[in-house]
Amino acid sequence: RGRGCGAEGGCGAPVWPDSFVHRLQYVPVRGDHIIGIVTAKAGDVFKVDVGGSEQASLSYLAFEGATKRNRPNVQVGDLIYGRFLIANKDMEPELVCIDSSGRSSGMGLIGQDGFLFKVSLGLIRKLLAPKCEIIQELSQLYPFELVLGMNGRIWVKAKTVQQTLIIVNILEACEYMTAEQRKQALARLSG
């Protein structure tokens, strides 16, 4: 046997197959609604971190009512809820914040005073399912705003910081709780 790093504990760093590493990172899919973070302004285009291997572009005209004279007030660091218009391996991903009829349909800038965090793509799919029990149960606890991105990002805002953090903690824990454990935890909070 030759020397070097082996699976039996050579250099101490785990060796992951490429396919596993790629699954940890979001891969843009045309039509996916995501939460992005504006990282740069370059002329008429914003660069947006979408949690993938490369940034996406977002034209200032890709907002409802935007014209050359009426530009959206988007700054570096702002959160954007948008969908992929273009997403394939040969082209830079492109986001829009309007639907096919030019309406925002809930897309655009996300409020500044919420809390952004990341969960697994599996949990996002569960939360986005129609009639998701988790969200229905949470809405009985406190009123809150929630934005779910297919890229694993969640933005939440409740009336107070404490309520917001309780919702964040429950959402993060949902991945590892059974439905019964979740119901018990919510009952303790509301009791």
Side-chain angles (χ1 to χ4, degrees), residues 35 79 110 114-120 123-124 127 145-157 167-168 171-172:
I35 297 174
L79 300 180
I110 298 175
F115 190 88
L116 179 71
F117 63 105
K118 192 159 176 36
V119 297
S120 75
L123 180 57
I124 282 291
L127 294 171
E145 294 176 61
L146 183 69
V147 180
L148 302 168
M150 282 298 293
N151 56 343
R153 290 179 178 160
I154 298 177
W155 178 88
V156 67
K157 177 188 172 199
I167 291 167
V168 167
L171 285 169
E172 286 180 326

Side-chain angles (χ1 to χ4, degrees), residues 140-181:
Q140 313 266 314
L141 199 58
Y142 312 115
F144 62 92
E145 294 176 61
L146 183 69
V147 180
L148 302 168
M150 282 298 293
N151 56 343
R153 290 179 178 160
I154 298 177
W155 178 88
V156 67
K157 177 188 172 199
K159 209 177 260 178
T160 66
V161 172
Q162 182 184 9
Q163 289 177 357
T164 300
L165 292 175
I166 288 170
I167 291 167
V168 167
N169 287 328
I170 292 170
L171 285 169
E172 286 180 326
C174 279
E175 185 135 34
Y176 310 104
M177 280 193 222
T178 64
E180 192 52 44
Q181 289 170 325

Side-chain angles (χ1 to χ4, degrees), residues 51-63:
S53 59
E54 64 178 315
Q55 298 201 354
S57 63
L58 172 67
S59 167
Y60 76 93
L61 291 171
F63 290 84

Side-chain angles (χ1 to χ4, degrees), residues 44 60-61 65-71:
D44 295 344
Y60 76 93
L61 291 171
T67 63
K68 285 193 180 283
R69 286 187 170 183
N70 183 26
R71 291 175 175 244

Side-chain angles (χ1 to χ4, degrees), residues 64-87:
E64 183 175 2
T67 63
K68 285 193 180 283
R69 286 187 170 183
N70 183 26
R71 291 175 175 244
N73 183 19
V74 178
Q75 304 299 321
V76 171
D78 283 351
L79 300 180
I80 297 283
Y81 181 62
R83 72 177 171 85
F84 282 109
L85 185 64
I86 296 173

Side-chain angles (χ1 to χ4, degrees), residues 8-94:
E8 297 86 51
C11 10
V15 179
W16 302 107
D18 278 350
S19 60
F20 181 76
V21 172
H22 291 297
R23 269 186 262 142
L24 295 175
Q25 220 172 28
Y26 173 72
V27 177
V29 175
R30 183 185 156 102
D32 269 6
H33 286 77
I34 59 95
I35 297 174
I37 304 165
V38 177
T39 58
K41 271 179 165 176
D44 295 344
V45 176
F46 303 104
K47 291 295 179 188
V48 182
D49 170 8
V50 295
S53 59
E54 64 178 315
Q55 298 201 354
S57 63
L58 172 67
S59 167
Y60 76 93
L61 291 171
F63 290 84
E64 183 175 2
T67 63
K68 285 193 180 283
R69 286 187 170 183
N70 183 26
R71 291 175 175 244
N73 183 19
V74 178
Q75 304 299 321
V76 171
D78 283 351
L79 300 180
I80 297 283
Y81 181 62
R83 72 177 171 85
F84 282 109
L85 185 64
I86 296 173
N88 66 49
K89 61 182 173 62
D90 301 320
M91 296 175 70
E92 177 184 47
E94 186 179 327

